[in-house]
Amino acid sequence: MAKTALVTGITGQDGSYLTELLLEKGYTVHGLIRRASSFNTGRIDHLFQDPHEHGARLFLHYCDITDAANLIRLLNEIEPDELYHLAAQSHVRVSFDQPVYTGETTGLGTTRILESLRAVGSAAKYYQASSSEMFGKVLEVPQKETTPFYPRSPYGCAKVYAYWMTVNYRESYKMYASNGILFNHESPRRDARFVTRKITRAVAHIRAGLQDKLYLGNLDSKRDWGYAKDYVEAMWLMLQQDEPDDYVVATGETHSVREFLVKSFEHVGLKWEDYVEFDERYMRPAEVDLLIGDASKAREKLGWQPTVTFDGLVALMVDADIRLLEDQQKGVLGEVRGTREFG
Ligand code: NAP
Ligand code: GDD
């Protein structure tokens, strides 16, 4: 029988790719969205374009992850087979400005969902969006499932708490609850306040003569960057196993922000030094200098592996931003944006 999934954070980068994957697999998908003063469904609007196909199996509900009563009501109504908990205040730099709110959503939000599942007696399989940011000031290179955590931001601390609550509910209540410890993953749908998309978007604008300068912070930090579409496949695989478990998902390669910058500008034949300036505002009180993951367990147990290389990711994102800008200039995008009405 076709399964039902509930996705929190459905309007985010990962939520949108995961929803596409689940709909392709025949799932009915329910997503939680929060009320905002402007449309926030831009990443999933296209899924409603075919009302007889995917659109007929996709349902959205207002629910903030700070609202336990609403969560319980919706769990009772939806009765999901699988719950992918992706909603979070996910920006590391912002978490230094909003540590309490980040703890409330990214940390306690997870407990609220786990406790709501327990309260309604749900047998849903649960996926927790854990993060390589938990490794922080890394205690081992490369990082794997057994590497101890050393978070370096309020976001990292909140994710460590959420990780352990997931393990705790698994062990205490025999819930099927798995942590995906995902390293950075990017795409043309990445918000432009994360460094990769900030760079590729700027390259497209600079190339078109619409922007003179790109202001960035620390160019020396290194990340293990993969492609978001590959990573949501790993999330799904984690919930198809007989037993719950925790998995690192990564490419096994690391590159500096500077390397991403050089490659992005080179892709359009420009020199980054002519456009990039340092801005103190983008520095963090504490930095994560080096992330590189060992995804052997995911490869062996889930049969998962990444399909997009670092160079491929840069090219894919720069090309997408060039196309997006051209479409915006032609006025094409207006037809897709804001076509869904809620409330
Ligand atoms: P994202 O693009 O920032 O999306 C976050 C989602 O959470 C959005 O749908 C957002 O809604 C929703 N959200 C935030 N606060 C909420 C609240 N109080 N109530 C309800 N919904 C709320 O993040 P992402 O890149 O897709 O990442 C998905 C998850 O994986 C996050 O938990 C993130 O921390 C984690 N993660 C990401 C990466 C990565 O490299 N992308 C790596 C490891 C772990 P709006 O659209 O309304 O803002
Ligand atoms: N955002 C941003 N903006 N980062 C910059 C900038 C800038 O202008 N300049 C340099 N950086 C550096 C940051 O200091 C950091 O070292 C690196 O670029 C990556 O920053 P982000 O792209 O903001 O990602 P992140 O690694 O901090 O966090 C992302 O990955 C985590 C997984 O490791 C987020 O997606 C988190 O939600 C996720 O958990």
Side-chain angles (χ1 to χ4, degrees):
M1 208 175 82
K3 288 186 192 167
T4 298
L6 175 59
V7 180
T8 75
I10 194 169
T11 55
Q13 170 189 257
D14 292 5
S16 67
Y17 285 119
L18 177 66
T19 299
E20 278 170 11
L21 180 82
L22 294 171
L23 290 171
E24 285 295 326
K25 291 186 181 297
Y27 280 67
T28 294
V29 180
H30 293 262
L32 303 189
I33 62 167
R34 53 182 176 166
R35 198 267 157 187
S37 66
S38 53
F39 287 105
N40 58 359
T41 52
R43 292 188 180 100
I44 50 172
D45 280 339
H46 63 285
L47 295 170
F48 292 99
Q49 303 282 312
D50 59 343
H52 303 298
E53 200 8 62
H54 289 167
R57 286 183 282 115
L58 177 56
F59 303 92
L60 302 180
H61 311 266
Y62 281 119
C63 184
D64 197 289
I65 46 169
T66 55
D67 185 347
N70 199 0
L71 279 171
I72 289 176
R73 183 179 59 77
L74 287 169
L75 283 174
N76 270 322
E77 270 175 39
I78 297 165
E79 298 183 347
D81 300 299
E82 295 172 10
L83 195 165
Y84 296 86
H85 176 40
L86 310 182
Q89 190 303 93
S90 72
H91 201 284
V92 174
R93 174 68 192 84
V94 171
S95 79
F96 286 98
D97 298 332
Q98 300 199 73
V100 176
Y101 177 73
T102 302
E104 188 61 60
T105 52
T106 308
L108 274 175
T110 297
T111 307
R112 231 174 255 119
I113 293 191
L114 288 165
E115 189 58 11
S116 301
L117 282 169
R118 192 167 80 91
V120 305
S122 170
K125 289 182 166 182
Y126 175 84
Y127 173 85
Q128 168 61 23
S130 284
S131 165
S132 52
E133 186 70 15
M134 301 188 301
F135 296 121
K137 190 171 178 180
V138 298
L139 296 172
E140 189 178 19
V141 178
Q143 297 84 52
K144 49 183 188 280
E145 291 79 5
T146 49
T147 304
F149 301 137
Y150 190 148
R152 294 272 279 174
S153 62
Y155 169 82
C157 294
K159 283 289 184 186
V160 170
Y161 166 73
Y163 169 95
W164 282 116
M165 287 308 280
T166 303
V167 173
N168 195 253
Y169 271 65
R170 179 166 80 214
E171 294 177 353
S172 303
Y173 307 118
K174 310 290 172 249
M175 283 173 57
Y176 189 115
S178 294
N179 280 289
I181 308 173
L182 272 51
F183 283 62
N184 298 52
H185 45 279
E186 320 293 313
S187 75
R189 295 187 197 167
R190 187 63 142 153
D191 181 71
R193 286 163 290 190
F194 296 100
V195 78
T196 54
R197 183 78 200 291
K198 183 171 173 180
I199 293 170
T200 61
R201 189 175 174 276
V203 165
H205 282 72
I206 288 168
R207 176 181 171 272
L210 298 171
Q211 187 174 333
D212 299 328
K213 293 285 173 206
L214 167 61
Y215 296 94
L216 293 171
N218 179 16
L219 304 186
D220 295 324
S221 57
K222 294 178 133 186
R223 293 289 183 273
D224 180 329
W225 277 298
Y227 180 38
K229 218 169 165 175
D230 284 342
Y231 285 44
V232 300
E233 178 95 32
M235 295 178 187
W236 176 76
L237 284 167
M238 278 178 227
L239 296 201
Q240 310 314 308
Q241 307 306 304
D242 291 336
E243 299 296 330
D245 206 343
D246 308 317
Y247 298 89
V248 157
V249 178
T251 68
E253 265 187 45
T254 193
H255 297 273
S256 66
V257 174
R258 185 177 282 97
E259 282 174 80
F260 195 98
L261 195 55
V262 172
K263 291 261 180 218
S264 300
F265 277 83
E266 270 178 7
H267 189 68
V268 297
L270 294 174
K271 276 170 63 187
W272 70 274
E273 295 94 326
D274 294 340
Y275 303 96
V276 175
E277 291 197 2
F278 173 72
D279 191 328
E280 176 73 31
R281 278 184 305 163
Y282 300 115
M283 297 297 282
R284 294 160 186 200
E287 180 62 280
V288 170
D289 296 320
L290 165 71
L291 290 176
I292 177 167
D294 173 355
S296 308
K297 182 173 167 183
R299 216 170 29 244
E300 284 154 24
K301 296 206 164 169
L302 304 177
W304 178 87
Q305 55 184 19
T307 65
V308 176
T309 61
F310 177 71
D311 286 6
L313 180 67
V314 171
L316 175 158
M317 289 180 68
V318 173
D319 290 343
D321 268 317
I322 290 172
R323 269 197 314 276
L324 177 68
L325 184 59
E326 287 170 356
D327 284 350
Q328 281 169 340
Q329 286 175 321
K330 285 187 225 143
V332 176
L333 282 179
E335 292 166 21
V336 179
R337 285 239 169 97
T339 52
R340 299 289 299 165
E341 300 287 342
F342 296 101

